Amino acid sequence: MKIFLDGRFVDKADAKISVFDHGLLYGDGVFEGIRVYNGRIFRLEQHLDRLFASATAIMLSVPMTHAELVEVCCECCRRNKIANGYIRLVVTRGTGYLGLSPFKCSKPSVFCIADTIELYPDEVYRNGLRLITAATRRVNPAAISPSVKSLNYLNNIMAKIEAIQAGTVEALMLNDQGYVAECTGDNIFIVRGGKLETPPVSAGALNGITRGVVFELAERLNIACREVNLTRYDVMTADECFLTGTAAEIVAVASLDGRAIGSGKPGPITRRLEAEFHKLTRTEGTPIVR
Ligand code: PMP
């Protein structure tokens, strides 16, 4: 496997970052998880826009241009013969001293990995996911904006531990006011009376790319969709519920904390959106070979 690291492609065994990199010492950096389907990178421009916005928000200057990063992602797929898989693009603050100050770090590091992807088990896509509500609350947006896709995932990891210890794979995270924010690595939607509802970004959700695709699909399919504060009660009593994420795509939720949602099976609107989403991923994207 060849990894892009700071301007060149190196073997996996040589793809190493300093123990003084603030990405490691403090989670100081930003990243994107991107999918490649049939030799085309899905929504690459949007992922890069979000990466640059995250970097701006944490005062990190990405040492490469948008166009250069497009090329890096494509080349990484080509070199590793990944036509269907997952790209992880990371910008760390770079090597510094033990103090917190990012201004003493020499130069941000950029690396890119193209690999195969591990999806949720088939059974989850067939029957829906069992969600639990995590006791761990989402970080207050006033502390660090959830729109910043940073390397600091401890908040999500604490909730993921709860999910796994409860025998499932995802957990619902509430914000400090008790409203639904998102899951540990996915956004959440419910269907109520034939309409879609999802928490606003201000409730503590990442501005998910897949979430945005669902907005577009809903518009095209004439399904009303609004961003609104949701409670656990709203999720438990919804007609349908599904999660969205680059890795998960669209995955139905069967239950929350043991309460079946709707029929307890993936619902018709979820299935329709899933089908339309797959159509898009089959046809759209930046070709890795040009
Ligand atoms: N929320 C969190 C916390 C995530 O890490 C992700 C996955 N990157 C998502 C939501 C889904 O976002 P996207 O559709 O852009 O992958």
Side-chain angles (χ1 to χ4, degrees), residues 74-209:
C74 292
E75 180 64 13
C76 215
C77 290
R78 289 195 296 263
R79 289 213 186 196
N80 293 289
K81 300 194 167 37
I82 297 286
N84 287 284
Y86 183 85
I87 301 165
R88 176 59 60 93
L89 182 59
V90 184
V91 186
T92 75
R93 187 73 68 176
T95 303
Y97 301 94
L98 288 181
L100 277 179
S101 173
F103 301 113
K104 294 197 170 157
C105 296
S106 48
K107 182 175 185 279
S109 263
V110 179
F111 62 87
C112 184
I113 307 165
D115 204 351
T116 51
I117 178 164
E118 195 183 312
L119 301 169
Y120 287 136
D122 265 357
E123 185 272 328
V124 166
Y125 290 93
R126 267 199 313 278
N127 301 323
L129 195 87
R130 286 181 304 110
L131 272 189
I132 58 134
T133 307
T136 306
R137 291 286 169 108
R138 196 80 176 91
V139 164
N140 188 319
I144 175 93
S145 168
S147 294
V148 177
K149 198 165 165 59
S150 83
L151 294 181
N152 219 302
Y153 256 55
L154 264 186
N155 183 215
N156 311 52
I157 289 167
M158 291 299 108
K160 184 82 173 182
I161 288 171
E162 292 186 53
I164 294 166
Q165 291 200 319
T168 189
V169 290
E170 255 296 15
L172 183 68
M173 298 187 77
L174 308 178
N175 64 23
D176 60 347
Q177 294 177 299
Y179 289 111
V180 171
E182 59 178 345
C183 292
T184 70
D186 299 309
N187 290 112
I188 185 166
F189 286 77
I190 62 167
V191 180
R192 209 164 25 179
K195 297 176 178 164
L196 291 175
E197 294 180 346
T198 192
V201 168
S202 58
L206 179 75
N207 189 7
I209 306 294

Side-chain angles (χ1 to χ4, degrees), residues 231-286:
T231 61
R232 276 176 77 220
Y233 169 87
D234 294 325
V235 179
M236 286 170 178
T237 60
D239 301 325
E240 299 179 34
C241 176
F242 61 87
L243 309 184
T244 63
T246 294
E249 301 178 326
I250 294 177
V251 61
V253 178
S255 63
L256 173 63
D257 298 321
R259 281 83 154 173
I261 298 173
S263 67
K265 291 267 166 208
I269 294 187
T270 305
R271 284 292 191 228
R272 189 151 174 231
L273 289 166
E274 258 181 85
E276 293 296 324
F277 182 79
H278 289 137
K279 264 191 219 163
L280 273 190
T281 60
R282 276 197 296 269
T283 51
E284 266 197 4
T286 306

